[in-house]
Amino acid sequence: KHQGSIPTIQRNPSHNKYFMTVGDWRARIWSDDLKNPVITTSYHDSYLTGGCWSPTRAGVFYVTRADGVMDIWDIGHSQNEIAYSHKVSDVSLSSISVEGNTQGGGKLVAVGDANGTVSLLEVCDSLAYPKQNEKSIVNAMFERETKREKNLEVRERDVKRARAQEEERMKIEKGEAEFDVDNQEKDELVRLEDEFFTFVNETYDDSRNE
């Protein structure tokens, strides 16, 4: 869950089962099969305003920030560190698009800012051209993270189920304990009542004998 609006939702062009959302200070990658993200970036230094995937590199995506900086992630290389950051404008960036498709391109990046200025940038070859077996490597990473997240979800369900069962058991035991207390109180009242009537009868008999 993002803590605020989500300006960008986009599927990975090479692996359509997975999609990216950008919001608050983080980007997250999700699978259609799960309710939780499979990958979440670390916090950025400024609020994120948008983002997009590289059309040519399966593991590369771009995010724009409110402080005018564009960050590039290469999650096939590292899920914890930004691959490259570039100061594009002195005002908040508002939009971004990378030319090309899965067949080619990926070098030219158009970035818009809050003042209506569009900057056209050219990235290096390593961020534009896919590496050998990159699609299969990134897909294996997505599948690994999805499996890990599924295991966590199963574990979370098991913990919740065990907690619910324990709470139900405690309620039952508490109810039985309260029932036992009520029975003990009733037995005590019956005993006192018997003693009272026995005392009254004995007093009555003594008075008659006198």
Side-chain angles (χ1 to χ4, degrees):
K1 180 179 179 181
H2 288 281
Q3 306 301 316
S5 62
I6 301 173
T8 296
I9 301 177
Q10 188 182 65
R11 288 195 177 275
N12 185 293
S14 301
H15 305 288
N16 290 331
K17 181 181 177 180
Y18 302 93
F19 61 95
M20 173 181 64
T21 60
V22 177
D24 53 66
W25 293 268
R26 287 181 161 186
R28 302 176 189 268
I29 298 173
W30 309 73
S31 168
D32 288 341
D33 299 334
L34 297 172
K35 64 180 181 179
N36 292 319
V38 297
I39 296 176
T40 300
T41 67
S42 57
Y43 282 97
H44 291 73
D45 293 335
S46 181
Y47 201 83
L48 300 184
T49 59
C52 69
W53 288 100
S54 165
T56 54
R57 292 277 320 272
V60 170
F61 62 88
Y62 299 72
V63 295
T64 54
R65 300 178 359 191
D67 60 358
V69 173
M70 173 190 71
D71 289 333
I72 305 175
W73 286 84
D74 183 354
I75 55 175
H77 174 69
S78 175
Q79 297 181 29
N80 302 315
E81 295 182 358
I82 297 169
Y84 180 72
S85 292
H86 181 70
K87 178 75 171 178
V88 179
S89 175
D90 292 329
V91 298
S92 176
L93 302 180
S94 57
S95 59
I96 186 170
S97 181
V98 184
E99 61 89 24
N101 52 47
T102 54
Q103 304 303 317
K107 283 186 66 69
L108 298 180
V109 183
V111 184
D113 67 22
N115 287 341
T117 301
V118 177
S119 301
L120 186 62
L121 310 173
E122 183 176 5
V123 299
C124 62
D125 291 349
S126 63
L127 290 173
Y129 301 143
K131 300 176 182 179
Q132 186 176 8
N133 300 323
E134 179 173 3
K135 287 185 179 180
S136 59
I137 292 172
V138 170
N139 183 67
M141 177 190 66
F142 283 156
E143 293 293 338
R144 182 185 69 246
E145 295 300 324
T146 298
K147 183 178 180 180
R148 181 183 64 83
E149 190 60 38
K150 282 182 178 179
N151 290 336
L152 290 175
E153 287 190 358
V154 170
R155 173 60 179 165
E156 182 181 1
R157 286 197 299 268
D158 290 343
V159 170
K160 287 182 178 180
R161 186 182 298 112
R163 186 181 297 118
Q165 291 174 347
E166 178 65 17
E167 290 176 353
E168 184 65 22
R169 184 186 65 80
M170 292 179 67
K171 286 181 181 179
I172 293 174
E173 289 183 353
K174 182 179 179 182
E176 292 176 348
E178 291 177 349
F179 179 76
D180 290 341
V181 170
D182 290 341
N183 284 341
Q184 290 174 4
E185 290 178 349
K186 289 179 181 178
D187 291 343
E188 181 66 13
L189 288 174
V190 170
R191 186 185 65 79
L192 292 173
E193 187 178 61
D194 290 342
E195 289 181 355
F196 172 75
F197 283 114
T198 298
F199 173 77
V200 169
N201 290 332
E202 290 177 351
T203 303
Y204 176 74
D205 292 339
D206 291 342
S207 63
R208 289 187 62 185
N209 293 331
E210 291 176 355

